[in-house]
Amino acid sequence: MAIDLPLQAPSSAGLIWRVTRNESATPDAERAAILADPGFGQHFTDHMVDLCWSLKGGWHRPQVEPYGPIPLDPAAAVLHYSQEIFEGLKAYRHADGSIWTFRPDRNAARLQRSARRLALPELPSDIFIESLRQLIAVDADWVPSAPETSLYLRPFMFAKEAFLGVRAAQKVGYYLIASPAGAYFPGGVQPVNIWLSRQYARAGKGGTGAAKTGGNYASSLLPQAEAYEKGCQQVLFLDGRYIEELGGMNLVLVTRDGRLITPESDSILEGITLASILQLAKDRGLTVEQRKVSIDEWREGAASGEIVGAFACGTAAVVVPIGKLLADDFEIVHEGPASSELAMSLRDELTDIQYGRVADRHGWMLRLDA
Ligand SMILES: *Cc1c(COP(=O)(O)O)cnc(C)c1O
């Protein structure tokens, strides 16, 4: 059962948010049990954000409501033509109890870029950020406080219009849900093995590789299953001979003299973790190269000792050293402390900023609960 509360004050965007409290919210003891061992993406908070867009009315009816199923016409365009995009960011609890998020302006801008590519309406940044604040205002208790835990925030947008003609939908929904996340590596960060997919590509030139859209993930599931069969946790995709990225994380190579090399391509998703790690490296005076990188360059560099390590990065896992790249006819092994030292120290520096353990010198953090 849910009841309507009085309307809230207008947001910065001039929209009036309606907040409907979940009257059957998770009991405190049950929530505490979930937060003690949240895993990833399995449990959801008591509320969600829901905004509508229509060609005639623009963005309207922003609301916070009890978490639950979304009524959808069977002809809703997303179910047929995959007109969908999403984002992923985290809310972090600092030692004083305050709740913060990391570079949400970047997620807002990326959601707009993804929207343009998928012919969806652009959500103004201030509404995006207000949606985070609105959800945290009712679900703050869901932000865990144990080390390296967070509340994962998942904004998404899709075509709701019931119409089987092929064109951009004229009715769209934006939603925000949240899911408590445990430490990604409860026993300490472990290097992962990566499978090099030769048969399948993630994205092609002019395709949707640079957009955060579900279709890119759907097409990665089969190669991902192949990776598991080979004893690997992730897949590396190529564009011809050039390295692209993993299914949901960007890739960086580390040289003997501490340079970071990361692929540049129109079909790579621009990671916010990647951009931040590269910035922290530049702050240390390290050289960062963003350019085309062939698989042969990695292979030869590893063989000669020029490339000493590699890591993957993304919001969920932050930074993960790569222990081995496995292909059907060769493998690259990075082992020993030198292979992950720089990756781990950049990871620590980034998480120290995110959890408020060191000064936020770049102004990356935004407080959500005040
Ligand atoms: C989200 C995502 C990333 C990582 O981006 P972050 O902003 O660092 O979380 C990398 N690759 C793909 C394909 C993604 O969808």
Side-chain angles (χ1 to χ4, degrees):
M1 226 241 334
I3 50 161
D4 284 352
L5 289 185
L7 295 179
Q8 303 262 306
S11 80
S12 53
L15 290 173
I16 310 287
W17 286 72
R18 168 182 286 262
V19 178
T20 307
R21 288 267 176 182
N22 188 340
E23 291 301 306
S24 41
T26 314
D28 288 351
E30 197 179 314
R31 188 183 60 245
I34 292 170
L35 294 187
D37 184 20
F40 183 82
Q42 307 164 41
H43 302 281
F44 299 93
T45 64
D46 293 311
H47 299 87
M48 63 190 207
V49 162
D50 174 354
L51 245 100
C52 298
W53 178 89
S54 66
L55 194 58
K56 288 202 185 103
W59 290 107
H60 61 278
R61 215 203 61 200
Q63 50 177 336
V64 176
E65 63 197 350
Y67 182 93
I70 299 171
L72 213 52
D73 191 289
V78 66
L79 300 176
H80 305 272
Y81 308 129
S82 296
Q83 198 188 359
E84 185 270 356
I85 55 176
F86 67 95
E87 269 304 322
L89 66 170
K90 287 171 169 175
Y92 308 87
R93 196 178 287 282
H94 287 186
D96 65 358
S98 58
I99 299 170
W100 300 72
T101 193
F102 181 73
R103 309 188 81 177
D105 52 316
R106 291 289 184 120
N107 297 89
R110 189 168 65 188
L111 188 69
Q112 292 174 349
R113 291 199 299 278
S114 299
R116 280 198 285 281
R117 181 64 186 83
L118 273 288
L120 285 162
E122 288 177 40
L123 182 73
S125 289
D126 59 347
I127 302 181
F128 177 88
I129 292 185
E130 181 65 16
S131 74
L132 308 178
R133 290 189 191 284
Q134 290 281 343
L135 191 63
I136 291 298
V138 292
D139 281 338
D141 290 345
W142 283 92
V143 184
S145 54
E148 310 304 308
T149 63
S150 61
L151 182 65
Y152 184 77
L153 303 169
R154 168 52 62 86
F156 59 106
M157 188 193 294
F158 64 85
K160 281 182 110 170
E161 186 183 0
F163 178 55
L164 292 184
V166 180
R167 60 147 166 75
Q170 298 180 356
K171 244 184 84 187
V172 168
Y174 164 80
Y175 297 84
L176 168 64
I177 58 174
S179 172
Y184 203 86
F185 298 96
V189 178
Q190 292 297 323
V192 293
N193 295 338
I194 306 280
W195 168 246
L196 179 67
S197 179
R198 284 245 181 72
Q199 191 181 350
Y200 305 106
R202 181 187 160 269
K205 197 167 168 50
T208 56
K212 213 166 173 74
T213 181
N216 294 340
Y217 280 72
S219 70
S220 76
L221 299 177
L222 181 61
Q224 179 68 49
E226 198 176 78
Y228 287 137
E229 260 172 41
K230 306 283 181 185
C232 296
Q233 292 89 0
Q234 291 278 338
V235 186
L236 172 63
F237 292 100
L238 298 178
D239 174 10
R241 6 193 303 259
Y242 295 100
I243 297 170
E244 292 250 296
E245 60 171 320
L246 310 188
M249 280 192 272
N250 297 114
L251 184 86
V252 180
L253 304 180
V254 181
T255 67
R256 183 171 40 199
D257 55 352
R259 276 177 298 131
L260 299 184
I261 307 175
T262 194
E264 188 168 60
S265 152
D266 292 343
S267 43
I268 290 179
L269 194 283
E270 273 182 64
I272 296 160
T273 313
L274 174 69
S276 308
I277 288 286
L278 296 182
Q279 182 60 54
L280 295 179
K282 285 180 197 163
D283 294 350
R284 294 182 184 190
L286 299 175
T287 301
V288 168
E289 298 176 16
Q290 215 152 1
R291 58 171 171 79
K292 278 179 171 276
V293 187
S294 71
I295 188 69
D296 288 339
E297 177 176 352
W298 187 358
R299 211 177 150 183
E300 288 157 17
S304 73
E306 177 63 17
I307 293 171
V308 293
F311 62 89
C313 56
T315 295
V318 194
V319 168
V320 192
I322 294 171
K324 184 160 82 178
L325 177 78
L326 184 68
D328 45 20
D329 55 349
F330 70 91
E331 63 176 30
I332 296 171
V333 177
H334 290 298
E335 53 192 358
S339 68
S340 57
E341 233 161 51
L342 181 57
M344 290 307 295
S345 113
L346 288 166
R347 179 188 216 278
D348 290 345
E349 187 177 356
L350 184 62
T351 53
D352 281 348
I353 293 170
Q354 291 170 332
Y355 287 94
R357 296 184 291 247
V358 299
D360 170 25
R361 66 178 182 276
H362 289 290
W364 284 342
M365 304 304 293
L366 179 74
R367 188 163 178 188
L368 289 178
D369 64 332

